[in-house]
Structures are given as C-alpha cells and as structure tokens.
Amino acid sequence: MAATDEQVLSALRSDDAAELLALRLRLAESAERAGTLDVAYVTMESPVGLLLLAATGRGIARVAFAGDDGGVDAVLTALAARLGPRILRSAARLDDATVQLSEYFAGARREFDLPLDLTLAVGAFRRDVLGALPSIAYGATASYAEVARSTGRPLAVRAVGTACALNPLPLLIPCHRVVRSDGTPGSYAGGPEAKRRLLDLESAA
Amino acid sequence: MPFEAVVQLHGPAILRVCLALLPRQDAEDAWSETFLSALGAYPDLPIDANVQAWLVTIAKHKAIDRHRTAARAPELAADPPDSAVAPADPLEHADLRAAVRSLPAAQREAVAFHYLADLPYADVAAITGSTEAASRRAAADGMRTLRRRFPGGSD
C-alpha cells in the first residue's frame, strides 16, 4: 500500500533544530568576514535583567534593557530602522563588552575600555550631556542640576533628564549616577530598582 | 524587519528546499550561500516583497551553481559519510530525500517550493518559469512517485 502525502511530508518537513542553529552561527561568522553586517548583537543575563548589546563596525552602539516580553524583538526592530536591517546575533564583536560588563557586575571593574558608536545619540546637547557623564566617578553621584551646570546650561535640568533617559549606552555611559537633588535615584531606562541596585553595587565595591 | 528575524522565520523552509535539491553537505553550503547573498541585498529589497519567494529564488540559483560545480568535479557531489554540521539523516529520511532529488527537475522543484516552502502555485510558476497549472501537475506527479517510494510503501 502506498504511503499518504502526510507521511511523505512529515518526513521531508522534519526540521533539525541543532542543524539550523549550527548553520546560523556559521552564517554570522561568514557575514562578519564579508563585512556585510550593519549590526551584530548578543544578549546577556545580568543582575539588572536581560541586556541586549549591539555593535556597528565603529563600536558599541546600544545597550538595552530587554527583559520585558518581546523586549529583544522591539529593540532589534528599532535598531534596524536607525542603523540598518542587516542585523545578526554574533558574539565576536561583543566579546570585550560582555567580559567587561560581567567584571563590572562582579564589582571587579570601575571603568569601561570599549569603542563606542554614538550614532543613536542625536543632537549636540544630548551628546554634551553624555560626554559629561563619564566624569562622575564610580561610586559617586551627581544631580541633574549639577550635570546641567557642568554642560554650561544650568537651566537645562529637564533636558539633562531627557538626555539621560534616552542614553543609548546605559551602564557604559553612567547615567545611573545622575540622581535627583534630594538624593533619591529618579527614573531609569532599566527601572528605578535597577538604578538603586547599580548605585548600591558601586558603593559596596 | 531585522535580518535575524528573516533567518529565524524562513531558515527552516529554505533548508528543507536545499535538502530536497542537493545532497546534505551541498544543501548546507547552499543554505549558507543563500542567506549570505540575501543579507547583502536585503537593504534594497522592496518593503512589500514576498521574502519567502525571494529566498527560494536565490536558493534555486545556488542549487544550480552547486550542480554545475558538481558536474565539473564529480567527487564534490558525493555525500560524505558524516556531515561537519549535522548528524546523518535517519535512514528512511535519507532515502526519501534521495527520492526527491531523483525526480525530474520540474517535479522536484514544484514539490520543494510548494510542499516544503509553502509557496502558492502562482509563485512556484513564477520562480520556475512555468504556468500555475503545469506546476500543480508537476507537484502532484512528484508526490505520487514519493508516496510509492516511501519506506514501507509499495507500488
């Protein structure tokens, strides 16, 4: 008796997940070699939730808190629109960043030594604010008003808040060290809990 | 859509197509070449393009390239005993895949593109340069042969 279409197709359509995964890893390596990737990304677990790290050929362009449902997809869609759609998961470009962040979370690193791509920080003032943040030392904090003064625009306190909220590279550019004048942490892309946690980590280390 | 999502969404179907057209090692290489080439052209793809049909078209051309290479250097066409990436097929699947590969080209492509990549016959016809009716007939003829060749089945 002849087989049915269903029997034939279920055999021919049985996908091998391990084979596909290996092929995808190989594709990412080939794309890196061919120089055709706009963005390479990885995800990593951290004490402040799932992080997505993305790099262009110029440097790390995005650190995103991706813990929510659909968080990774939403971040990648936004990156595709801003930096180009040729995006693949590929670890090579981000090895240094994941190592340095792991050291930071372990209390073993106070500064990052990574090439950064600030393409996603639009506007001169926003870049000025981001440029001022690394001078707030590990374990210290500054108020939004103090950062506004340090950029030469003492009245732009709210704009400093916006620049911090839109920081494309949280953790690497330490916007978590900018707090309210009354000393409370204030808002943060990763949530106020994460901000408190980072400040505690830095004061304990 | 980020290309990662394209690979996630269409990678399995394109591998099924490659495995229907080529021996396993060549199929894996053709899959890689298809997506690498698609990645390069991806920014220029129209926003409303049929991505699956586009990828199947590229895969078809990569398979033809591999057949040409194999014709020039026959030893490349041989299926190596162990694939570098994947475990060997269970025997019955390997036999069935070989049966697909031994179908006449029109039937093989119609089966692969319609039944394994889920393209409607209109798209199959466009990719193979045939008509919808002829594609439908070729797929049906191909499936009839495969039902007979299925392990455990008989004439």
Side-chain angles (χ1 to χ4, degrees), chain A residues 1 3 5 7-9 11-15 19 22-24 26-27 31 36 41 76 85-89, chain B residues 3-4 8 12 15-16 24 28-29 31-32 36 39 42-43 85-86 93 96 115 118 143 147 150 153-154:
Chain A
M1 209 183 102
D5 279 3
Q7 285 174 300
V8 169
L9 292 176
L12 291 176
R13 292 180 64 104
S14 59
D15 297 327
E19 180 179 28
L23 284 170
R24 287 172 69 169
R26 201 167 82 178
L27 173 65
T36 42
Y41 81 96
L76 293 183
R86 297 180 299 180
I87 300 178
L88 286 177
R89 180 183 285 271
Chain B
F3 197 76
E4 177 77 15
Q8 170 97 36
L15 184 56
R16 293 196 291 267
R24 179 167 292 272
E28 292 183 344
D29 289 345
W31 186 97
S32 300
L36 194 58
L39 175 67
Y42 187 56
V85 174
H93 293 190
L96 188 61
Y115 283 105
D118 305 311
M143 286 302 291
R147 288 196 301 270
F150 190 78
S154 61

Side-chain angles (χ1 to χ4, degrees), chain A residues 118-143:
Chain A
L118 285 171
T119 303
L120 295 175
V122 178
F125 183 67
R126 275 178 64 192
R127 294 221 182 173
D128 285 350
V129 171
L130 296 181
L133 298 185
S135 61
I136 310 171
Y138 183 94
T141 59
S143 70

Side-chain angles (χ1 to χ4, degrees), chain B residues 14-80:
Chain B
I14 297 303
L15 184 56
R16 293 196 291 267
V17 166
C18 292
L19 284 167
L21 303 182
L22 294 164
R24 179 167 292 272
Q25 188 64 56
D26 281 335
E28 292 183 344
D29 289 345
W31 186 97
S32 300
E33 289 165 9
T34 297
F35 278 99
L36 194 58
S37 156
L39 175 67
Y42 187 56
D44 300 323
L45 188 69
I47 196 88
D48 58 350
N50 180 339
V51 177
Q52 182 115 324
W54 176 62
L55 291 169
V56 167
T57 306
I58 300 174
K60 180 193 157 178
H61 289 299
K62 297 298 178 192
I64 291 170
D65 290 348
R66 297 235 138 229
H67 278 302
R68 284 202 190 113
T69 310
R72 280 199 300 271
E75 70 276 14
L76 291 180
D79 229 345

Side-chain angles (χ1 to χ4, degrees), chain A residues 5-196:
Chain A
D5 279 3
E6 285 70 28
Q7 285 174 300
V8 169
L9 292 176
S10 107
L12 291 176
R13 292 180 64 104
S14 59
D15 297 327
D16 183 337
E19 180 179 28
L20 281 161
L21 183 63
L23 284 170
R24 287 172 69 169
L25 292 176
R26 201 167 82 178
L27 173 65
E29 286 168 15
S30 306
E32 285 280 13
R33 272 198 304 277
T36 42
L37 278 188
D38 296 319
V39 177
Y41 81 96
V42 293
T43 54
M44 69 179 281
E45 292 293 343
S46 85
V48 290
L50 186 70
L51 298 177
L52 185 149
L53 316 181
T56 65
R58 293 181 294 279
I60 316 292
R62 185 80 175 102
V63 174
F65 296 93
D68 304 344
D69 282 348
V72 170
D73 288 348
V75 174
L76 293 183
T77 300
L79 290 176
R82 298 284 301 279
L83 298 175
R86 297 180 299 180
I87 300 178
L88 286 177
R89 180 183 285 271
S90 175
R93 255 186 233 185
L94 292 146
D95 279 347
D96 288 348
T98 51
V99 167
Q100 291 189 25
L101 277 166
S102 299
E103 291 168 349
Y104 169 78
F105 288 121
R109 174 174 285 276
R110 293 169 166 246
E111 285 176 8
F112 296 98
D113 179 19
L114 296 166
L116 302 183
D117 177 348
L118 285 171
T119 303
L120 295 175
V122 178
F125 183 67
R126 275 178 64 192
R127 294 221 182 173
D128 285 350
V129 171
L130 296 181
L133 298 185
S135 61
I136 310 171
Y138 183 94
T141 59
S143 70
Y144 292 101
E146 285 167 336
V147 174
R149 277 198 295 278
S150 79
T151 58
R153 289 181 56 187
L155 298 180
V157 178
R158 190 167 290 274
V160 168
T162 303
C164 288
L166 297 177
N167 176 10
L169 293 161
L171 298 166
L172 303 184
I173 296 179
C175 58
H176 59 277
R177 293 178 197 149
V178 186
V179 299
R180 292 176 195 272
S181 300
D182 65 5
T184 59
S187 63
Y188 188 57
E193 275 301 301
K195 190 167 185 176
R196 164 57 59 201

